[in-house]
Amino acid sequence: MSGVLVVMQRSGADWHRMSWETLAAGQQLAAQTGQTVSAAVVGDAGELVSKKLDRVYTVDHPLLSIYTADGFTAALEQLIRKISPSIVLFPHTYQVRDFAPKLATRFNQVLVSDAVGFRVESGAPIFVRQLFQGKLNADVKPGGAEPHFASIQAGAFRADQLEAGASQVEQFAPGLTADIIRAKPQEPFRESARAVDLTSADIIVSVGRGIKEKDNIPIVEELAKALGAELAASRPICDSGWLPMERQVGSSGQTVSPKMYLAVGISGAIQHLVGMKGAKTIVAINKDANAPIFEVADYGIVGDLFEVVPALVEAVKKAKS
């Protein structure tokens, strides 16, 4: 095989949503390079059988029932050496960051991490990475012998662009022994109960410095409640302690890709844009018609948020009644 292999991530019956975004990237990359695309997953194939793939490799071994970097690296190394893909893609998750650089090193390669896009020149991929908190884009052309390895940033591709189809499932049983697992996994880390996972929200209402003071936050919070949305914020709001840090969106916060992202009083600094650019629909409310947020917005309202937001709340409530 010479093609694109996408390594998916799941925990039990749950798929990591970034896996589907990376699979969409893999389909697009394969189409542009004239190759096939396959997927690999530790565990059963599940919904992968309904995607347009050349093959789904299910990697199964008792030593892989609990994640370890040693186990996943050894198993995937064996699979990659068997099928010889030209490109291996991963979702840029915490788990991938733990083992993928080690896996790439096994092939005398590096991991092109957190790519936000790619283009193809002379049949070869050139990945795009962001530098200096998104202020600059850098082109990275993998060198050396194949396979090449890259991880895809959350929100860089849309899962709804996945092509449906039918794929053949092939089981792969790696040869693993207990002595290669040097780590002793403990119970998975769980954040506090109040922590918010904005990455799973369908609608997000985010507030910025245009709200002026903490006492005005309830104005935007009311809109979030009316829409059934999660409340988020830009960094200055969280740095000021007006909302908890877990609700921050941006390069130093969470990266999100909801169905709708409503930015209220947010100017659109690049550090914030890199965290929400994957939203399917972006709505911006800002009194400055030249605010950078309008450059990425699908819909924009130039006006005073203290007038616009209450009017929107009433409109939403009326529509729901």
Side-chain angles (χ1 to χ4, degrees), residues 4-7 22 25-26 29 87-91 127 148 150-152:
V4 178
L5 176 68
V6 178
V7 178
T22 305
L29 181 56
I87 303 166
V88 183
L89 297 182
F90 307 85
F127 294 97
H148 301 304
S151 64
I152 304 299

Side-chain angles (χ1 to χ4, degrees), residues 41-217:
V41 62
V42 174
D44 63 89
E47 299 96 314
L48 281 172
V49 296
S50 64
K51 308 304 177 185
K52 186 179 179 181
L53 299 168
D54 181 66
R55 194 157 301 186
V56 175
Y57 296 95
T58 56
V59 184
D60 187 40
H61 193 282
L63 290 174
L64 300 177
S65 60
I66 298 176
Y67 167 77
T68 62
D70 287 335
F72 273 50
T73 298
L76 290 171
E77 178 190 5
Q78 292 176 34
L79 174 64
I80 291 169
R81 292 196 186 282
K82 175 186 176 182
I83 65 178
S84 299
S86 60
I87 303 166
V88 183
L89 297 182
F90 307 85
H92 192 70
T93 64
Y94 288 112
Q95 186 180 98
V96 164
R97 280 177 261 186
D98 187 45
F99 79 86
K102 176 179 178 171
L103 176 60
T105 302
R106 296 280 180 95
F107 294 85
N108 295 316
Q109 276 292 353
V110 298
L111 174 70
V112 181
S113 62
D114 215 14
V116 298
F118 64 81
R119 67 178 186 277
V120 175
E121 292 185 359
S122 301
I126 296 177
F127 294 97
V128 181
R129 297 186 70 247
Q130 294 183 321
L131 305 177
F132 303 110
Q133 294 187 324
K135 291 184 174 66
L136 294 176
N137 283 350
D139 290 343
V140 181
K141 184 176 182 179
E146 296 176 344
H148 301 304
F149 299 81
S151 64
I152 304 299
Q153 185 181 103
F157 293 84
R158 294 183 175 179
D160 60 4
Q161 295 178 342
L162 267 172
E163 293 187 66
S167 55
Q168 180 180 347
V169 178
E170 181 176 322
Q171 294 182 336
F172 177 75
L176 304 179
T177 55
D179 60 288
I180 71 168
I181 310 294
R182 296 170 295 176
K184 295 182 179 179
Q186 302 297 313
E187 285 296 316
F189 172 74
R190 297 185 183 277
E191 297 185 61
S192 61
R194 75 170 194 149
V196 177
D197 181 15
L198 296 175
T199 63
S200 62
D202 286 334
I203 304 174
I204 294 175
V205 175
S206 194
V207 60
R209 282 183 290 190
I211 200 65
K212 295 183 179 179
E213 59 185 51
K214 183 178 181 179
D215 290 343
N216 292 328
I217 294 289

